[in-house]
Amino acid sequence: LAANPVAAPWAADAEKRAKATATVPPHVHGTIGREHTNMAALVPVPEVPTLAFESLRVDESETPLGRGASGAVYPGLWLKEEPLNAYDSCPNVYRVVPTPAAVKVYNHGAKTSDGRPKDEMHASILASKTGCKSIVRTIATFQKEWTLRNERDGFPEEGLVMEFLEQDEWVSLGSPPSFDSVTRDTYSSNVTRSRGEIVEVARGVAAAGAALHGAGVCHGDLYAH
C-alpha cells in the first residue's frame, strides 16, 4: 500500500481481517480446473501469535538469508511451547519444541521504500490464512523490547517469523533481471525443466495467485527469483 493516504481504508480493513480468527474459506482457494496438485493443496491454519524477539534465537550479526529494500531475513530458532497430549494427566504441562524459522527484521518501523512494515505483515498473515501450500507461511510475528531506536522512530520494532525452507530441498527458480533482460528474470543455461515440472510450477503459482486474490491481496511483485 506504500503508506498512501488514499489507501488508508484498505489498510485498516486488511489489519482487521489479519487479526480476526483464522478460517479457511468454504470454497477451495487454489483449485485449478477440476483438480489441484499437492502444491495447491490446503494446510491447517493455526493462529499467528506475537512473540518476544528474544525467544527467536536470532543473531543479526550473521549473514542474512536474504536482504531487500525494507529489511533482512535471518535464520532463527523459535523455542515453541506445545501442550502435551490432551489426554495426559497434566493438561497444563507444555514441552519446548525448537522450530527453525526465517525471521524478517525491518530497517525502519514507520515506512520503507516498499511501504509500511505493518501493512506487509498484515498482507503476509492474510496470505498464510488461505492455507495454500504454494505460499510461504507466516507462523508468527515478533516485537522487540522498547529501545532507544523505538524512542527515536516512535514505532515499535516488529517483524515476521516465517517457515524455514531448507536450502538442500529448495532452490530459486530463476535469477534477477540483467542489463540485457531489463525486467525479465534470467535462467541458467545449465538447467532444464521437464514439461511436467513446468506445469507443476505454473499450477503452484496460479494456486498462490488465486488464494491471494480470494483473500483480497494482490502480490504486485511476482518474479521467479
Side-chain angles (χ1 to χ4, degrees):
L1 298 176
N4 186 337
V6 176
W10 299 339
D13 175 70
E15 179 176 9
K16 180 179 179 180
R17 290 188 293 119
K19 292 180 178 179
T21 302
T23 56
V24 174
H27 59 289
V28 180
H29 283 321
T31 298
I32 309 299
R34 295 183 178 180
E35 299 178 348
H36 60 276
T37 66
N38 288 335
M39 289 185 70
L42 299 179
V43 294
V45 184
E47 288 299 311
V48 179
T50 298
L51 311 174
F53 183 74
E54 293 69 28
S55 70
L56 294 171
R57 299 280 183 92
V58 175
D59 184 356
E60 293 183 72
S61 65
E62 285 189 12
T63 301
L65 299 171
R67 185 182 296 277
S70 61
V73 179
Y74 298 92
L77 191 67
W78 177 14
L79 302 181
K80 186 178 181 181
E81 290 187 350
E82 292 185 351
L84 293 177
N85 192 309
Y87 299 101
D88 194 274
S89 58
C90 302
N92 294 323
V93 175
Y94 291 79
R95 61 178 179 175
V96 175
V97 180
T99 304
V103 181
K104 181 164 186 177
V105 180
Y106 292 98
N107 295 329
H108 193 288
K111 185 180 178 182
T112 70
S113 60
D114 287 339
R116 296 183 300 189
K118 72 173 186 178
D119 291 330
E120 179 180 312
M121 291 168 65
H122 296 153
S124 298
I125 292 171
L126 288 174
S128 299
K129 285 185 176 183
T130 66
C132 179
K133 287 182 68 176
S134 293
I135 296 174
V136 177
R137 290 186 302 115
T138 292
I139 56 179
T141 61
F142 73 80
Q143 187 166 12
K144 290 187 177 182
E145 292 184 359
W146 199 260
T147 63
L148 291 176
R149 175 176 164 180
N150 298 144
E151 192 79 36
R152 182 183 69 248
D153 296 344
F155 287 86
E157 288 190 76
E158 300 174 301
L160 293 170
V161 183
M162 299 168 286
E163 62 179 322
F164 188 85
L165 303 184
E166 295 290 348
Q167 294 181 330
D168 58 348
E169 298 178 9
W170 295 85
V171 295
S172 296
L173 180 63
S175 300
S178 66
F179 284 111
D180 293 326
S181 68
V182 186
T183 60
R184 289 178 291 109
D185 283 318
T186 55
Y187 301 87
S188 172
S189 59
N190 299 324
V191 177
T192 59
R193 305 287 180 190
S194 68
R195 177 161 43 177
E197 289 175 325
I198 293 171
V199 170
E200 184 178 7
V201 169
R203 283 182 177 271
V205 173
L212 290 174
H213 293 174
V217 177
C218 179
H219 193 293
D221 194 27
L222 186 60
Y223 283 105
H225 67 272

